[in-house]
Amino acid sequence: PKHWTFMKFGRVAYFQEGPGLRNWQFAESGVPVICVTNITNRGIDLELYRKFISEAEYRQTYRHFTVQQGDLLLSSSGNSWGKVAEYTAPETAILNTSTIRINTSRTGSLQKGYLRWVLQADNVRKQLGAMMTGSCQPNFGPSHLNRAIVPVPPANEQNAIAAFIDDQTAKIDALVS
């Protein structure tokens, strides 16, 4: 529609990729680390792949990678690239590499429900696919996500679009099950 705008994703959303933690940094317990494997179509599943860093290392070095309740998490590597799930758990967790946390920006350009569907839209996936690097393990990062162009309708239309897709998806999921 003519009244919609199109903007670079980096102007309408906040996002951050996790650090590249090394195997020697993982601990038996402590603060959970969310990896690409934990992001599923059903949500964030921390039981699928359990990794931790120590509380001390978290406080000293990695606190700024803390995932907040309500953050959308996007897998940016491997066969599962592009999966999106909302973090709803109350426990403190951090990101690992190839996992990007995303939330609406202070500008309020994108509504959260709409943001989730935009990340899964064919036009955004095609843009990211064209920018991906790696032959055996495809991946993209924040610099690629920053350049993706997204449609930005008015907030009331974003909410209506997200509600419609949520409703239709729930109906399809019910039929499938």
Side-chain angles (χ1 to χ4, degrees), residues 7-15 105 107 109 146:
M7 300 180 80
K8 286 186 177 180
F9 192 73
R11 300 210 43 193
V12 295
Y14 164 81
F15 49 93
S105 70
T107 65
S109 299
N146 190 47

Side-chain angles (χ1 to χ4, degrees), residues 40-51:
T40 74
N41 291 329
R42 297 171 313 284
I44 307 299
D45 186 344
L46 293 175
E47 297 302 317
L48 280 175
Y49 190 69
R50 306 252 333 138
K51 294 287 183 182

Side-chain angles (χ1 to χ4, degrees), residues 10 48 51 53 61 68 88 93-94 113 119 129 141 144-145 151 159 176:
L48 280 175
K51 294 287 183 182
I53 61 166
T61 310
Q68 305 295 319
T88 59
I94 67 166
L119 290 168
H144 304 109
L145 193 56
N159 291 330
V176 168

Side-chain angles (χ1 to χ4, degrees), residues 6-140:
F6 291 85
M7 300 180 80
K8 286 186 177 180
F9 192 73
R11 300 210 43 193
V12 295
Y14 164 81
F15 49 93
Q16 174 191 41
E17 183 175 23
L21 297 172
R22 304 290 181 223
N23 279 336
W24 58 267
Q25 292 177 278
F26 293 126
E28 292 295 318
S29 63
V31 176
V33 176
I34 299 173
C35 302
V36 170
T37 306
N38 301 115
I39 302 173
T40 74
N41 291 329
R42 297 171 313 284
I44 307 299
D45 186 344
L46 293 175
E47 297 302 317
L48 280 175
Y49 190 69
R50 306 252 333 138
K51 294 287 183 182
F52 302 92
I53 61 166
S54 71
E55 290 280 345
E57 192 166 14
Y58 165 73
R59 283 191 304 277
Q60 184 177 22
T61 310
Y62 296 109
R63 181 174 249 145
H64 62 286
F65 292 104
T66 302
V67 178
Q68 305 295 319
Q69 274 188 320
D71 281 344
L72 296 175
L73 302 184
L74 173 67
S75 61
S76 64
S77 180
N79 291 335
S80 65
W81 76 269
K83 283 189 180 177
V84 179
E86 185 174 346
Y87 187 72
T88 59
E91 71 182 311
T92 299
I94 67 166
L95 304 166
N96 199 1
T97 191
S98 300
T99 305
I100 300 173
R101 75 183 180 117
I102 301 171
N103 217 319
T104 56
S105 70
R106 290 187 182 102
T107 65
S109 299
L110 293 182
Q111 303 299 303
K112 190 161 124 189
Y114 178 76
L115 174 59
R116 179 185 180 122
W117 290 113
V118 161
L119 290 168
Q120 297 174 75
D122 282 346
N123 66 337
V124 173
R125 289 183 57 84
K126 285 178 183 173
Q127 290 176 69
L128 293 173
M131 292 186 267
M132 289 181 109
T133 59
S135 56
C136 295
Q137 174 119 343
N139 61 75
F140 65 90

